[in-house]
Amino acid sequence: NAGVTQTPKFQVLKTGQSMTLQCAQDMNHEYMSWYRQDPGMGLRLIHYSVGAGITDQGEVPNGYNVSRSTTEDFPLRLLSAAPSQTSVYFCASSFTVSEKLFFGSGTQLSVL
Amino acid sequence: QKEVEQDPGPLSVPEGAIVSLNCTYSNSAFQYFMWYRQYSRKGPELLMYTYSSGNKEDGRFTAQVDKSSKYISLFIRDSQPSDSATYLCAMSGETSGSRLTFGEGTQLTVNP
């Protein structure tokens, strides 16, 4: 049982480039979410999904796009990378909205 | 002002010490209170989960919630070097479910 899998683990981008962070879970969880973790700021919610075809914005959604075509996958797209998006990104999932979250191991992103 | 305040530390204690970690919050709607443990370069993992006020004990760990003071604590008894990690408090309201608001995290080192 792999749990929540994130790829890549590390990524360096140039300003203006786009990329997709992948997240997959094999626990049949309905709820999935993306957080970013920055020093002094803790974890902040970017986007979340309560099921396939349903997504919504979190606290810091600007510059990011998501879609949920399947229960298993919840990719995060950076449309035009900016240095302010340098961060560690975590994907998380739970069986329902009110259940406890399981986190992936993170993607460390640097935007130059 | 942040909704959840947590002293980032770092906190360094000798093996066997009792550790006290704390968070304060301002949102009276928070009902679910959690503590996550995060090892270096890993995703957070759920350590303790409490609903509303009261105490919860799990082995060497005790979580306390005082909603009247908007204050939560995590106590670690007989601390071990393997407890060295960053501890994050997190909380959510009845309607926000897994949309957690995190504290900044406290970095703990337990010295042998």
Side-chain angles (χ1 to χ4, degrees), chain A residues 10 31 35 37 39-43 45 48 57-58 90 94 96-101 103-106 108, chain B residues 2 32 34 36 38 41-46 49 56 86 88 95-105:
Chain A
F10 302 95
Y31 182 89
Y35 287 84
Q37 187 173 34
M41 301 295 293
L43 283 152
L45 182 64
Y48 66 98
Q57 296 180 352
F90 288 100
S94 61
T96 65
V97 170
S98 60
E99 289 293 315
K100 306 148 198 177
L101 284 177
F103 282 84
S105 57
Q108 187 169 330
Chain B
K2 297 178 184 177
Y32 300 94
M34 286 141 273
Y36 282 82
Q38 185 177 23
R41 300 189 180 276
K42 300 289 186 184
E45 55 179 343
L46 184 66
Y49 181 96
K56 185 173 184 179
T86 296
L88 302 124
T95 57
S96 59
S98 289
R99 292 180 58 188
L100 302 181
T101 300
F102 282 85
E104 184 178 341

Side-chain angles (χ1 to χ4, degrees), chain A residues 54-107:
Chain A
I54 306 170
T55 64
D56 207 346
Q57 296 180 352
E59 181 184 355
V60 287
N62 292 340
Y64 307 95
N65 202 359
V66 293
S67 60
R68 184 94 178 271
S69 57
T70 67
T71 299
E72 294 78 20
D73 300 298
F74 191 44
L76 178 72
R77 298 181 186 85
L78 278 70
L79 309 173
S80 177
S84 61
Q85 293 178 306
T86 293
S87 186
V88 181
Y89 291 84
F90 288 100
C91 179
S93 72
S94 61
F95 190 64
T96 65
V97 170
S98 60
E99 289 293 315
K100 306 148 198 177
L101 284 177
F102 291 86
F103 282 84
S105 57
T107 295

Side-chain angles (χ1 to χ4, degrees), chain B residues 50-63:
Chain B
T50 309
Y51 173 71
S52 196
S53 286
N55 294 358
K56 185 173 184 179
E57 188 173 322
D58 184 2
R60 297 184 294 110
F61 299 89
T62 300

Side-chain angles (χ1 to χ4, degrees), chain A residues 6-50:
Chain A
Q6 289 185 238
T7 56
K9 292 191 182 300
F10 302 95
Q11 183 70 50
V12 179
L13 293 177
K14 294 181 179 179
T15 298
Q17 287 185 314
S18 63
M19 79 158 295
T20 299
L21 306 185
Q22 302 291 343
C23 175
Q25 52 88 12
D26 61 359
M27 298 175 282
N28 201 30
H29 284 173
E30 289 294 323
Y31 182 89
M32 297 186 74
S33 54
W34 277 100
Y35 287 84
R36 60 178 289 175
Q37 187 173 34
D38 303 289
M41 301 295 293
L43 283 152
R44 291 180 292 168
L45 182 64
I46 304 171
H47 284 286
Y48 66 98
S49 169
V50 298

Side-chain angles (χ1 to χ4, degrees), chain B residues 66-112:
Chain B
D66 182 350
K67 289 187 67 181
S68 62
S69 302
K70 296 190 177 66
Y71 187 88
I72 70 170
S73 301
L74 177 70
F75 297 96
I76 307 174
R77 292 184 299 279
D78 188 24
S79 56
Q80 303 294 310
S82 59
D83 295 328
S84 298
T86 296
Y87 290 80
L88 302 124
C89 63
M91 43 199 83
S92 68
E94 290 280 2
T95 57
S96 59
S98 289
R99 292 180 58 188
L100 302 181
T101 300
F102 282 85
E104 184 178 341
T106 299
Q107 185 179 342
L108 171 67
T109 300
V110 181
N111 301 299

